[in-house]
Amino acid sequence: MNKNIVGAVLTLVVVAGCGKSDPPVGAGAASAPVSAASGAGAPVSVASVRAEKRDYDVQLEATGTVTPLNSVDVKPQVASVVTKVHIREGQFVKAGEPLFTLDARADEANVSKAQAQLQKDLASLADAQRQLTRSQELFAQNFISQGAVDTNQALVDSQKAVVAADRAAIEAARVGLSFSRIVAPSAGRAGAIGIFPGSSVQPGGAPLVTITQLDPIAVSFNLPQRNLDDALQALRSGGGSVNAVLPEGRGKLTGKLQFVDNSVDASSGTVKVKAVFDNKDQQLWPGAFVNVRLAVQTLKDAIVVPQAAIVQGLRGKVVFVVEPGNTAGVRPVEVVTAAGTEAVVTGVRAGERVVTDGRQNLRPGVAVIERAAEAAGGTGRRGASAPIEGGAVAAKAPAASGGLP
């Protein structure tokens, strides 16, 4: 019994000794990089772009609705029947171009009747004037009294008034006749046409057609109350520059600010603004939504970096930069303005290489090795990568706690 116990103890001692002297295969290979990374400080792979110094337009962004400057519902002014339609749906028309012709026979008869009455009254006026002339000659020869002459004069004056009334009646009849010829009140594109020759129309009925002006065209959008002064300043300076960005990457149009409303909407805290754009290619269509960017200020010689490079640290915003010795440096920054993928900051010099990818593994003084910005997912817009030393990219080192200032 004692021999068995002693044998077991000796076996355990031998196995333990073998474990210390001969490690398992692969154990040393797995621990070597960790030891090297923790002791030697392996370079961190990063991507960077250079901070740019250029003029930067401060823009306000909003969602706008395309609205026509002029849209007219064409309706008849008299009850009648359509005899001819001169246009097609979707046709572009000029101001004064004929659109519809209505049955004008009754109005033509009224004009003829008024003209005939005028001829009758003109003949009566001519007779009254002859009577006045004759009475004046007889009065000069003392054959009639002054009262007879005055009576004839009153008759002439009365007949002149009747003739004037006849001429006014003719003009009124011609106005009614003109209603039978409906023309375009302004230039634009014709909408849907729901009537045909023989259709009966009424002044209070549905529009015969809608004429909408497409060039130029407006975009209406709302700005927060805090940006009211910026919009008014842009309006006073001639309208500023307003960009309408078309959806699905179909480009953008540049116009000018034309209108700022005279009150702020109390329910939303916004003010209505309108900009005008040339629309010869009809890229803007009434009712469509577009993204609007209003340039309210230009910052001269601003330092521009990607927004992706800005890190929120314990003491504020910072960016990591690649120092001349290929080590990581940190720069406290203040964001002046930001829009899209870019930000204007202070605290960085023009030309410094700002880290856009891999910054989560950085701390000041850590060695870095750069890779192409495209390989990092295209985070840099025009980033110039430094040459890679040694022809290899080292593995990322674990992030150290307290790396951000």
Side-chain angles (χ1 to χ4, degrees), residues 353-371:
R353 293 179 294 175
V354 178
V355 176
T356 58
D357 189 49
R359 61 192 183 281
Q360 67 274 11
N361 299 317
L362 292 181
R363 60 177 179 174
V366 170
V368 298
I369 186 168
E370 291 195 73
R371 63 181 183 275

Side-chain angles (χ1 to χ4, degrees), residues 35-401:
S35 175
S38 60
V44 178
S45 176
V46 299
S48 69
V49 298
R50 294 192 179 274
E52 296 183 357
K53 183 178 182 180
R54 56 184 168 88
D55 294 345
Y56 184 88
D57 291 333
V58 179
Q59 297 181 335
L60 304 178
E61 296 189 1
T63 299
T65 305
V66 181
T67 56
L69 290 176
N70 191 4
S71 182
V72 181
D73 291 335
V74 179
K75 293 185 176 183
Q77 294 181 276
V78 293
S80 185
V81 175
V82 178
T83 59
K84 190 172 183 181
V85 178
H86 298 276
I87 60 171
R88 303 182 307 274
E89 293 180 328
Q91 177 181 337
F92 282 89
V93 297
K94 299 179 181 179
E97 184 174 343
L99 303 178
F100 305 94
T101 298
L102 306 181
D103 186 1
R105 290 174 295 177
D107 295 316
E108 290 173 349
N110 290 334
V111 172
S112 299
K113 181 179 179 181
Q115 289 176 338
Q117 184 65 39
L118 174 63
Q119 295 301 321
K120 177 183 176 181
D121 292 333
L122 285 175
S124 299
L125 174 61
D127 182 65
Q129 288 175 334
R130 287 194 296 270
Q131 293 293 337
L132 175 61
T133 303
R134 187 176 301 110
S135 63
Q136 288 174 342
E137 293 175 353
L138 293 175
F139 175 74
Q141 299 174 7
N142 295 322
F143 287 109
I144 61 174
S145 65
Q146 180 65 44
V149 175
D150 293 341
T151 300
N152 288 331
Q153 182 65 53
L155 181 60
V156 170
D157 293 340
S158 176
Q159 199 61 34
K160 286 182 178 179
V162 171
V163 170
D166 291 340
R167 290 195 172 102
I170 292 175
E171 293 298 325
R174 286 175 177 171
V175 170
L177 179 62
S178 68
F179 292 155
S180 63
R181 184 175 179 269
I182 301 176
V183 299
S186 61
R189 187 177 189 270
I193 301 175
I195 56 99
F196 307 93
S199 300
S200 178
V201 293
Q202 301 287 336
L208 306 182
V209 69
T210 300
I211 305 297
T212 301
Q213 181 180 350
L214 297 181
D215 182 29
I217 202 166
V219 174
S220 299
F221 55 99
N222 294 328
L223 290 179
Q225 180 180 349
R226 63 178 178 273
N227 299 127
L228 176 59
D229 290 340
D230 295 329
L232 291 175
Q233 181 62 34
L235 187 63
R236 295 188 194 103
S237 63
S241 176
V242 183
N243 291 327
V245 183
L246 303 176
E248 301 176 356
R250 292 189 288 113
K252 66 178 182 179
L253 281 76
T254 301
K256 289 188 176 182
L257 190 67
Q258 185 192 56
F259 167 75
V260 177
D261 204 357
N262 57 3
S263 63
V264 176
D265 188 345
S267 61
S268 62
T270 60
V271 60
K272 187 177 180 180
V273 179
K274 184 185 295 183
V276 177
F277 298 83
D278 289 332
N279 195 33
K280 295 180 180 179
D281 297 331
Q282 301 171 28
Q283 293 178 285
L284 297 177
W285 208 253
F289 293 97
V290 294
N291 292 324
V292 181
R293 297 173 183 170
L294 170 62
V296 296
Q297 184 182 5
T298 300
L299 300 177
K300 298 292 185 181
D301 298 331
I303 302 299
V304 183
V305 299
Q307 285 206 60
I310 302 174
V311 179
Q312 180 65 51
L314 297 178
R315 300 179 183 176
K317 293 182 174 63
V318 299
V319 296
F320 285 101
V321 298
V322 179
E323 301 284 8
N326 285 337
T327 59
V330 66
R331 301 283 189 272
V333 297
E334 291 186 5
V335 178
V336 178
T337 185
T341 60
E342 296 180 332
V344 176
V345 300
T346 59
V348 179
R349 297 188 304 273
E352 284 192 298
R353 293 179 294 175
V354 178
V355 176
T356 58
D357 189 49
R359 61 192 183 281
Q360 67 274 11
N361 299 317
L362 292 181
R363 60 177 179 174
V366 170
V368 298
I369 186 168
E370 291 195 73
R371 63 181 183 275
E374 291 78 4
T379 53
R381 198 162 56 93
R382 290 195 292 268
S385 301
I388 297 177
E389 298 179 2
V393 178
K396 293 182 180 180
S401 60

